[in-house]
Structure formats: C-alpha cells, structure tokens
C-alpha cells in the first residue's frame, strides 16, 4: 500500500496502487500531494511516519490510521 500527504492539509491517505505524479499535481495551485512511501504492515507504516519529516504524525491520529489501514 502507498501513502500520501495531501497538499491541501487533508492529512494522509492510502492507495493500493502507486499514483503517478501527474495525478498528484494540482493545476489550480501549482502544488502536489507528497508520496510518503510504501508499507505492507502496521510496523512498516509506523516507521515510515515516524521519520524526521513526518514525526508530526506520531500521535493518536497516526495510531488510529494504522489500525484502520492494517486491522489485526
């Protein structure tokens, strides 16, 4: 599963397929969503979000997102 950060401040979303950059780009504002990376389980996803750049997501929000994305 691939994970992205919305350029509109809508948080993080996931996709089963990798999304091409041209679909992430916004013609209206000239910005684009950011591909965070790929993860296949909750542990990989937690590591992906808890790096230097995305450390802001290591809280209740991301824990809930992980549980919804990779239910046990």
């Amino acid at each position: 599963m691939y994970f992205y950060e919305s350029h509109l401040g809508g948080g993080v979303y996931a996709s089963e397929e990798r999304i091409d950059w041209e679909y992430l780009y916004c013609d209206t504002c000239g910005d684009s969503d950011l591909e965070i990376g790929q993860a296949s389980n909750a542990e990989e996803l937690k590591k992906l979000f808890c790096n230097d750049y995305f450390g802001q997501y290591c809280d209740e929000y991301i824990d809930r997102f992980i549980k919804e994305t990779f239910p046990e």
Side-chain angles (χ1 to χ4, degrees):
M1 192 166 286
Y2 295 87
F3 297 89
Y4 300 87
E5 179 182 30
S6 171
H7 74 285
L8 297 174
V12 176
Y13 61 95
S15 172
E16 292 284 337
E17 305 273 329
R18 186 171 194 191
I19 302 172
D20 290 333
W21 183 83
E22 62 216 28
Y23 295 107
L24 300 174
Y25 181 75
C26 177
D27 288 328
T28 304
C29 69
D31 201 354
S32 66
D33 291 357
L34 178 65
E35 181 178 326
I36 299 168
Q38 183 181 11
S40 357
N41 58 50
E43 184 178 320
E44 289 178 2
L45 183 57
K46 185 81 168 186
K47 286 180 185 177
L48 188 65
F49 285 134
C50 292
N51 68 25
D52 291 337
Y53 184 79
F54 291 101
Q56 66 197 11
Y57 290 113
C58 292
D59 57 13
E60 291 177 22
Y61 170 80
I62 199 58
D63 288 338
R64 187 178 70 239
F65 185 78
I66 289 170
K67 287 178 184 173
E68 291 171 0
T69 306
F70 295 107
E72 293 181 31

